[in-house]
Amino acid sequence: MKKVKLFIFLFLIIALNLSAFEGGGMLKTGLGIDLGKNKTNLSHFDSLSLWAKQNLDKEGNYNFAIQSSYLFNLKKPIKPDGKLDLDHIVNLDMLKFSFLVPIGNDSLTIDAGRYNISDITAVILNQNIDGVYIAYKKTNFATYFNLGYTGLLNSYVNPINAAGIASISKKRTKIYNLAPSFVHMSALFHVPFQSLRHAVDFDLNSFIATENPKTTNNYASISVNGPIVNRLFYLTSVSTSVLTRVKRKPGIGFFLAGELDYYFEKYSSKLGLKAQFFSGGKTGFKSFTLSNVSKVTFMESTDLFKISLDGSIKPVKDLFLSTEAAVMAHAATQPKGRSNFAGFEWDVSANYTILQDISISTDLGMFVGKNGKFDAVFKLKGIISF
């Protein structure tokens, strides 16, 4: 009888734990064509992402979550001697324990493990990191702290803008290649002005190379956002970067951004105007996560001024359309006889939800640079969630 009771007790404990278990995944596949002045490339990719979450208490305040992914990339130039380029990439996107501690009307959240982190601009830092993240939220104030490490990340998924900084492994490996080794410290302060519906954010990020503590990337940002009139919102930010290297003077750069967005009542539509300025030359700005400001080709977020007009609309329930047109110019003074013009680009995308967990999307765009240089892309992607 005692054995039966013990069995029933163990069964109930396991059933209770399993009832708090969640899991799922996402399968993506895509085709693309890239046309240039002297190139034509075909591309294909398949990716699979799986995730699971287990609550550790009845209230769901404590939980464990994990997510991993696999990506297959194929690229083939359309020419007789074109070399087929194949890539297999595996990544551990998330593995973390989360703890939520209610403190009256306030809350304290602690994440430990691997998770995604972003700064307030989503340009300086936007990637995975291993570490400890702490968030304390009040009704009129919130603060966030992070202490992390980059040396165990996959550099194929988390490209870091740190030329010459070594990883803990000297070999370059396929599938999973270790990223440059940095210790990360950050502090973010969020102050909302509830009566005005505006908010101010102040963000500090510092990255210290483990190989040489005198090699650092440091950033400070401040942003303000809120409504101007009904349906019209603004967002503006100012950032500075200070990079220190051995036997070099500190490199100081600047990043300025401003955005206006008007939201229409019909069709969930929006019209926006956005400007970004990344300093160049001797005061060149360098982000930590290698970021791209173009939707068509690759343009690093340095020595660049970009102004763009974008719009989106949802004409029917399951169809979302968006577009953007942008002009780009070099921020630093160019040599005599050379224009500051960097290029013009446009992009149109559509996303259609066939069923609740099945959707397709397409993207068409073109970049036109100097001297007849151009890059045109067409992409088609299918997504299944389960």
Side-chain angles (χ1 to χ4, degrees), residues 278-281 284-287 293 299-305 330-331:
F278 304 94
S279 62
F285 176 83
K286 289 285 185 180
S287 61
V293 298
M299 298 196 74
E300 188 182 342
S301 55
T302 186
D303 186 21
L304 199 68
F305 173 65
H330 294 290

Side-chain angles (χ1 to χ4, degrees), residues 202-218:
F202 183 61
D203 197 3
L204 295 171
N205 286 272
S206 183
F207 302 87
I208 304 170
T210 57
E211 187 180 69
N212 189 333
K214 293 183 179 180
T215 299
T216 65
N217 285 31
N218 307 283

Side-chain angles (χ1 to χ4, degrees), residues 99-110 134-139 141 143:
F99 307 93
L100 173 63
V101 182
I103 307 173
N105 294 326
D106 308 333
S107 67
L108 175 68
T109 303
I110 302 174
I134 300 174
Y136 180 69
K137 297 180 181 179
K138 296 174 61 71
T139 55
F141 177 77
T143 183

Side-chain angles (χ1 to χ4, degrees), residues 48-219:
L48 175 65
S49 177
L50 300 173
W51 65 271
K53 181 180 177 181
Q54 174 69 56
N55 287 338
L56 304 177
D57 68 329
K58 294 180 180 180
E59 291 77 19
N61 291 337
Y62 312 141
N63 60 73
F64 169 76
I66 184 171
Q67 179 176 318
S68 60
S69 60
Y70 164 76
L71 173 65
F72 167 73
N73 263 330
L74 180 152
K75 187 176 181 181
K76 177 69 169 67
I78 305 302
K79 54 184 180 180
D81 58 343
K83 183 181 178 182
L84 184 65
D85 188 9
L86 296 174
D87 289 316
H88 298 273
I89 298 172
V90 175
N91 193 49
L92 180 62
D93 305 301
M94 179 174 61
L95 192 155
K96 68 173 183 176
F97 288 91
S98 295
F99 307 93
L100 173 63
V101 182
I103 307 173
N105 294 326
D106 308 333
S107 67
L108 175 68
T109 303
I110 302 174
D111 292 340
R114 176 169 296 184
Y115 43 87
N116 196 70
I117 188 170
S118 173
D119 77 302
I120 57 175
T121 69
V123 172
I124 295 171
L125 174 67
N126 190 5
Q127 62 177 68
N128 294 141
I129 203 160
D130 298 322
V132 178
Y133 177 82
I134 300 174
Y136 180 69
K137 297 180 181 179
K138 296 174 61 71
T139 55
N140 58 351
F141 177 77
T143 183
Y144 310 84
F145 299 97
N146 189 79
L147 177 63
Y149 177 63
T150 66
L152 299 177
L153 302 175
N154 189 347
S155 64
Y156 297 129
V157 180
N158 303 278
I160 292 176
N161 195 3
I165 309 302
S167 66
I168 57 176
S169 172
K170 304 302 179 183
K171 295 182 179 179
R172 184 171 181 85
T173 57
K174 296 182 178 180
I175 301 178
Y176 197 110
N177 188 60
L178 293 181
S181 180
F182 282 86
V183 171
H184 170 239
M185 296 178 288
S186 69
L188 168 62
F189 305 94
H190 174 74
V191 183
F193 298 94
Q194 296 179 351
S195 59
L196 301 174
R197 294 191 298 154
H198 292 255
V200 176
D201 294 273
F202 183 61
D203 197 3
L204 295 171
N205 286 272
S206 183
F207 302 87
I208 304 170
T210 57
E211 187 180 69
N212 189 333
K214 293 183 179 180
T215 299
T216 65
N217 285 31
N218 307 283
Y219 304 90

Side-chain angles (χ1 to χ4, degrees), residues 282-318:
K282 294 181 179 180
T283 57
F285 176 83
K286 289 285 185 180
S287 61
F288 183 78
T289 303
L290 185 61
S291 56
N292 184 13
V293 298
S294 171
K295 291 189 174 182
V296 180
T297 186
F298 178 76
M299 298 196 74
E300 188 182 342
S301 55
T302 186
D303 186 21
L304 199 68
F305 173 65
K306 176 183 177 181
I307 184 166
S308 60
L309 183 66
D310 64 89
S312 62
I313 188 171
K314 198 172 183 180
V316 294
K317 180 181 178 182
D318 299 318

Side-chain angles (χ1 to χ4, degrees), residues 228-248:
I228 299 175
V229 294
N230 188 31
R231 301 187 182 279
L232 179 64
F233 296 82
Y234 78 95
L235 170 63
T236 183
S237 65
V238 178
S239 303
T240 182
S241 63
V242 180
L243 276 59
T244 62
R245 297 293 184 266
V246 178
K247 296 181 181 180
R248 293 185 190 176

